[in-house]
Amino acid sequence: MTITEKELKDNSLPMNDFRIYFDNAATTAMSPEVLEAMLPYMTQHFGNPSSIYSYGRETRLAVENARKSVAKILGVKPGSVFFTSGGTESNNTAIAASIRDLGCDHIITSPIEHHAVLHTVEHYGHTANVEVSYVALKEDGHINLEDLELQLAKQTGEGRKCLVSLMHANNEIGVLLPIKKVGELGQKYKAIFHSDCVQTVGHYPINLSEIHVHFISASSHKFHGPKGVGILYVNEDINIKPFIFGGGQERNMRAGTENVYGIVGFARALEIAMQDYEKESSYIRDLKLYMANQLKQYIPGVSFNCGADALYTVLSVCFPRTDRSEFLLMNLDINNICASGGSACSSGADAGSHVMKALKKDDRYATVRFSFSKYNTKEEVDRVVEKLKELV
Ligand code: PLP
């Protein structure tokens, strides 16, 4: 069975839906080209990559070609790329392996990491002989590099081995880490450095051969690939033990029959993202700027949580808290506009955002994160701003 271009497009949500999807930092719609690359591995190429006959050889080749392609884009050797079930698994694995296999007994992280890092760090901080400390943040969410260096110097001076786990871009406010500088500091203090790059792989060209980093995590559903597939990059200078025991898949590191079509989708999505990077990133950046300017013009008292150098896909907006803006997200949803919260308030069942709390954001504001993709348009921005004029 083959699928026509039209059928692919008709089934693709962002091109054929009345709703406005401005929550691309949560997940993105899979692109028709990615689905097209995956489909044969859901149908005729169904073999188990571990089988020695032709069906198996076909899917083995697809997995290894995907690995080569991802590795080339990231500037590393294929042997350092492991396919996983996504960003959460990759983050968990990097942190667990640093403690279990690399002798780390002190973790330096930040209070605005994704829960896939924060909760993992808290877990090891409670159970193992591991201490955790949090790097100081500047008001805008950037880490304080001097504080990071002080902490590294203190811990290593006391004979501890540090794991530094800091995300490349924050998923709520888009603040970017100076990843090269952090890598250099890590190297100076012989620390292990893990970076959650879930919001940046597929959105920026990243050459890992130029960065002193031991682990990075990425997830394909953030750049128009399928859900449930990610990578963990493991620097070849370190040796870690298997993360899942069983068969010999992923060079004995992660047992279990490979998610072949997911892996093919990951690689295809990354190839497309990087091949179109210049065009798409400037399109999305313009869209974000346009929305910020429209909001400034039409919504009195609006302000932004992200600086000019933040991730170009994310616009985190503070609306003055009024009786109406209290229910902003719900009202946006009722009006078929999908966006995310990020509020410091912790009323009712809403625990509020740990990022806003860590940054001590004033809860006189209602925070909404709008995040964009290549499928969004200026017309959508106009419609959202029109609605916001009524809702705030
Ligand atoms: N890290 C960051 C920064 C994220 O934004 C996300 C996704 O929400 C994750 C990790 C988790 O990734 P996944 O959904 O692939 O498990």
Side-chain angles (χ1 to χ4, degrees):
M1 187 197 78
T2 54
I3 191 158
T4 65
E5 184 97 329
K6 183 172 180 319
E7 280 170 318
L8 277 173
K9 290 222 159 99
D10 287 350
N11 285 319
S12 175
L13 173 120
M15 299 169 192
N16 192 23
D17 199 297
F18 58 92
R19 289 170 290 183
I20 296 179
Y21 186 74
F22 275 2
D23 200 16
N24 290 279
T27 196
T28 54
M30 204 160 72
S31 81
E33 295 90 328
V34 172
L35 179 60
E36 199 171 16
M38 291 168 67
L39 274 174
Y41 295 92
M42 296 172 167
T43 51
Q44 71 261 42
H45 301 308
F46 60 83
N48 186 322
S50 298
S51 300
I52 55 164
Y53 42 77
S54 58
Y55 277 109
R57 291 198 302 272
E58 284 162 13
T59 47
R60 161 74 43 229
L61 189 65
V63 168
E64 293 318 318
N65 281 343
R67 196 186 316 279
K68 276 190 207 150
S69 169
V70 171
K72 189 163 175 230
I73 290 171
L74 296 176
V76 294
K77 293 205 179 124
S80 58
V81 173
F82 296 87
F83 288 108
T84 67
S85 66
T88 301
E89 181 188 322
S90 300
N91 286 341
N92 269 261
T93 304
I95 294 163
S98 299
I99 295 164
R100 187 189 60 177
D101 308 327
L102 303 174
C104 294
D105 53 6
H106 188 95
I107 307 174
I108 304 175
T109 187
S110 90
I112 60 170
E113 298 300 300
H114 190 273
H115 282 143
V117 164
L118 274 185
H119 289 168
T120 311
V121 165
E122 279 164 21
H123 168 77
Y124 287 105
H126 285 129
T127 57
N129 181 28
V130 174
E131 274 180 13
V132 180
S133 60
Y134 297 87
V135 70
L137 297 174
K138 297 183 182 165
E139 216 179 312
D140 60 2
H142 280 103
I143 65 150
N144 181 328
L145 278 170
E146 290 78 43
D147 183 59
L148 176 62
E149 174 145 25
L150 279 176
Q151 293 202 28
L152 280 164
K154 178 174 182 287
Q155 296 303 330
T156 42
E158 289 170 7
R160 289 185 162 254
K161 172 130 180 133
C162 293
L163 162 66
V164 174
S165 182
L166 292 171
M167 69 204 311
H168 193 191
N170 183 273
N171 48 304
E172 288 193 29
I173 56 170
V175 65
L176 283 165
L177 183 79
I179 193 168
K180 271 194 190 175
K181 280 195 192 145
V182 172
E184 283 158 18
L185 274 182
Q187 193 191 30
K188 182 169 167 192
Y189 293 95
K190 297 189 171 48
I192 296 295
F193 176 30
H194 162 245
S195 188
D196 174 343
C197 295
V198 166
Q199 293 290 340
T200 51
V201 166
H203 295 282
Y204 287 93
I206 297 176
N207 186 348
L208 292 174
S209 70
E210 294 172 353
I211 306 169
H212 293 291
V213 65
H214 297 93
F215 298 102
I216 74 149
S217 312
S219 180
S220 93
H221 71 103
K222 306 290 184 179
F223 50 92
H224 306 290
K227 293 174 183 45
V229 56
I231 59 151
L232 176 65
Y233 157 73
V234 183
N235 188 311
E236 284 181 318
D237 295 344
I238 53 175
N239 275 317
I240 63 166
K241 299 205 177 94
F243 359 133
I244 297 182
F245 300 93
Q249 291 90 352
E250 296 295 289
R251 295 177 311 294
N252 287 319
M253 294 300 276
R254 183 182 186 269
T257 303
E258 296 87 340
N259 172 6
V260 179
Y261 40 81
I263 290 170
V264 167
F266 184 111
R268 189 71 197 111
L270 189 60
E271 286 160 11
I272 296 169
M274 287 302 99
Q275 149 204 315
D276 298 342
Y277 166 72
E278 295 291 343
K279 191 176 100 216
E280 306 296 12
S281 62
S282 87
Y283 175 78
I284 297 168
R285 191 173 271 118
D286 283 353
L287 214 56
K288 167 179 162 170
L289 261 177
Y290 178 67
M291 177 142 182
N293 286 332
Q294 293 296 98
L295 289 173
K296 269 193 268 179
Q297 194 173 340
Y298 293 110
I299 313 279
V302 84
S303 62
F304 302 98
N305 292 310
C306 23
D309 61 345
L311 188 61
Y312 60 86
T313 49
V314 169
L315 181 64
S316 173
V317 187
C318 291
F319 295 98
R321 205 178 270 284
T322 63
D323 288 350
R324 277 184 304 171
S325 73
E326 190 73 36
F327 301 102
L328 196 51
L329 276 182
M330 200 181 75
N331 284 329
L332 284 170
D333 181 28
I334 290 169
N335 286 283
N336 297 311
I337 297 164
C338 309
S340 273
S343 137
C345 104
S346 58
S347 60
D350 176 12
S353 149
H354 67 283
V355 175
M356 293 301 145
K357 272 188 209 152
L359 296 177
K360 301 189 177 60
K361 287 288 171 187
D362 198 327
D363 60 12
R364 282 175 306 166
Y365 295 97
T367 304
V368 179
R369 177 190 69 183
F370 300 98
S371 48
F372 310 98
S373 83
K374 60 183 178 180
Y375 295 126
N376 293 125
T377 62
K378 273 192 174 171
E379 290 68 41
E380 288 179 321
V381 172
D382 289 337
R383 278 165 57 199
V384 172
V385 174
E386 261 327 291
K387 229 349 121 194
L388 283 167
K389 286 186 203 165
E390 293 167 25
L391 297 178
V392 175

